[in-house]
Amino acid sequence: MDHDFWHERWNAQQIGFHQPEGHPMLPRYWPSLELAADSRVLVPLCGKTPDLCWLAAAGHAVTGIELSQRAARDFFTDQNLTPDVDTLGAFERYRAAHGEGTIELLVGDFFAAETATLGVFDAFYDRAALIALPPAMRSDYVTHL
């Protein structure tokens, strides 16, 4: 994955993949997972999707991982949330409560994420991360999940 490519896309706001209203299928299909409200949900390569808010409003502890610091800052600005900022392992971590849940957005390389640091998740939500990666990296992505 070319980090510079993604940083340039975000800095130039060339983010046609972003869905400002969130993915319309999330509210329709997510409940079929029958997860407990306090489940931990991982959202890799999350960008600034408002889906993070939808998941947190459902009571989940949501962890997004995003390479672009600009995307993380824009997310919290767009959602009118003021995050606490610190570090967690190799990541800059932004955290805020939302609805019945929480949102934690980690800025850094998804492939640097380790279970020893992040813990275990009950589910993951991938709207477009898999297809954002070059085909040669997709199996590595699935294995890393």
Side-chain angles (χ1 to χ4, degrees):
M1 181 168 62
D2 183 355
H3 291 192
D4 290 337
F5 170 80
W6 288 108
H7 290 305
E8 289 171 16
R9 293 287 301 250
W10 278 101
N11 288 334
Q13 291 296 284
Q14 294 176 336
I15 53 172
F17 50 84
H18 175 65
Q19 294 179 312
E21 304 303 317
H23 197 289
M25 295 295 143
L26 179 62
R28 181 174 176 184
Y29 291 104
W30 189 261
S32 69
L33 296 177
E34 298 180 354
L35 293 173
D38 62 350
S39 295
R40 294 191 71 218
V41 178
L42 176 65
V43 184
L45 287 67
C46 62
K48 62 176 187 173
T49 181
D51 293 338
L52 299 171
C53 290
W54 188 91
L55 292 164
H60 300 310
V62 182
T63 298
I65 301 179
E66 172 54 45
L67 182 64
S68 170
Q69 187 178 64
R70 168 86 186 256
R73 289 180 179 164
D74 286 355
F75 167 79
F76 286 99
T77 299
D78 292 352
Q79 301 305 320
N80 295 313
L81 296 171
T82 303
D84 293 322
V85 182
D86 62 5
T87 58
L88 178 66
F91 297 95
E92 183 173 31
R93 176 172 58 178
Y94 294 71
R95 293 185 293 172
H98 182 75
E100 298 296 316
T102 57
I103 299 169
E104 172 182 70
L105 209 157
L106 304 176
V107 176
D109 187 340
F110 167 75
F111 292 100
E114 298 177 344
T115 302
T117 303
L118 302 185
V120 176
F121 293 90
D122 301 299
F124 70 89
Y125 171 64
D126 178 332
R127 188 196 62 83
L130 182 65
I131 63 169
L133 294 170
M137 292 185 73
R138 292 177 184 171
S139 62
D140 293 339
Y141 167 78
V142 172
T143 299
H144 196 66
L145 281 173

